[in-house]
Amino acid sequence: MTNKNSPHALHPDTLAVRMAVERSQYGENSEALYLTSGYVQPSAEVSARRFAGEEDGYTYTRSGNPTVSSFEMRLAALEGAEAALATATGMSAILLMLFSLLKSGDHVVYSQSMFGSTIKLIGTEFARFGVESTVVAQTDLAAWQAAIRPNTKILFAETPTNPLTEVCDIAALADMAHNAGALLAVDNCFATPILQRPLSLGADIVMHSGTKYLDGQGRVMAGALCASAQMINEKLLPVLRNGGMVLSPFNAWVVLKGMETLGIRMRAQSASALALAQWLEQQPQVARVFYPGLTSHPQHALSMQQMSGLGGAVLSFDLKAGTPQDARMRAFHVLDSLQTLSLCTNLGDTKTLLTHPASTSHGKLSEDQRQAAGIGQGLVRMAVGLEHHDDMKADLLRGLDTLK
Ligand SMILES: *Cc1c(COP(=O)(O)O)cnc(C)c1O
């Protein structure tokens, strides 16, 4: 699709508001929502050329939709990618990537700290089809290197991770992948292109859950992959069209509008998360706070350099406790005492959301996998939203101050 808003001429903040397909003949200022499954063809001849891929034009929404195109163009512009492809959810973006690029006998290296469903998808579901994989410690570059085999096709990293906010060196992993003839894919959900653009650091594919910060208001599910036009058109698009895990135009429109405020949200929520992380570090009931913006974070310097000087909006804290049972009881007490903030799976919302990873996002992992990921029973994750700082602190203190 053509557009006068060239990604090369404008700043990211401008592209986040302006990048979209051309206006319709009605001149709508806010991007139109094209809720249609099919498209009337101007002639049988044109229809034939469109189906043959010889001419641009929409035919059927599983193959393309203008609202979905607008979302893809806007995200690609923000990530500095040649192209993007929207999917129904973040997980279906990962499914599409693995399904399009791997075959039986290929090998993937990924971190043990990745999103729980990602670990299950690669380690269990793809294993059924003969795809081999090795999990490594997120921040141990030597372990990533040692895991590479002649049949390694993809290194897959997520940074920062959920919920411990571990950060890995994207540029170093990109070099490592390319030296081995493999690709580096990066899950950029937590940082978003506002903080970090993995393609500019050498990554080959960026994956998003649009459900998170791109929507930003916790309304719809969405996902996307960003890559070179060649990879999108030759490898990913044919599988998406046949596999059908496409993004609904309605959800695309919601996320498209959400992205208009991505920059101001990420900057405000990161600032608020940093202040809360520093405050939590001072609380006597808290053993440890995990947040890349803290100087106590093991990869603080790398994070600040890789993430535009911001730490993102997700932090976690571990409560002081004796046994795992005691730790779980304490975490549940803090969560059950909340009156303003939400006990809610999800993140990337304007509303602050807290979770207990050990019994939710990481609940389906085996005890060994959970131990390896470092997710204790006393860990609480906080995805910081836009409420007033004092109200967030007061709500946390309700539980912290009454711990027995
Ligand atoms: C939520 C999330 C996903 C999965 O996205 P869905 O939209 O829920 O399918 C993948 N990776 C990370 C880091 C996430 O936070």
Side-chain angles (χ1 to χ4, degrees), residues 88-92 94 114-115 117-118 158 160-162 187-190 207-212 220-223 346-347 381:
T89 64
M91 288 318 302
S92 62
I94 299 178
M114 291 188 89
F115 192 67
S117 295
T118 305
E158 176 185 320
T161 58
N162 173 44
D187 180 332
N188 203 25
C189 285
F190 271 46
M207 172 261 148
H208 271 285
S209 166
T211 318
K212 311 295 166 55
V220 297
M221 310 285 302
N346 197 15
L347 59 99
R381 187 194 76 188

Side-chain angles (χ1 to χ4, degrees), residues 67 71 86 88 99 103 147 168 179 211 241 313 335 358 368 394 397:
T67 311
F71 164 65
F99 199 75
K103 61 183 186 325
C168 61
N179 287 336
T211 318
R241 286 178 170 169
L335 294 169
D368 281 353
L397 280 176

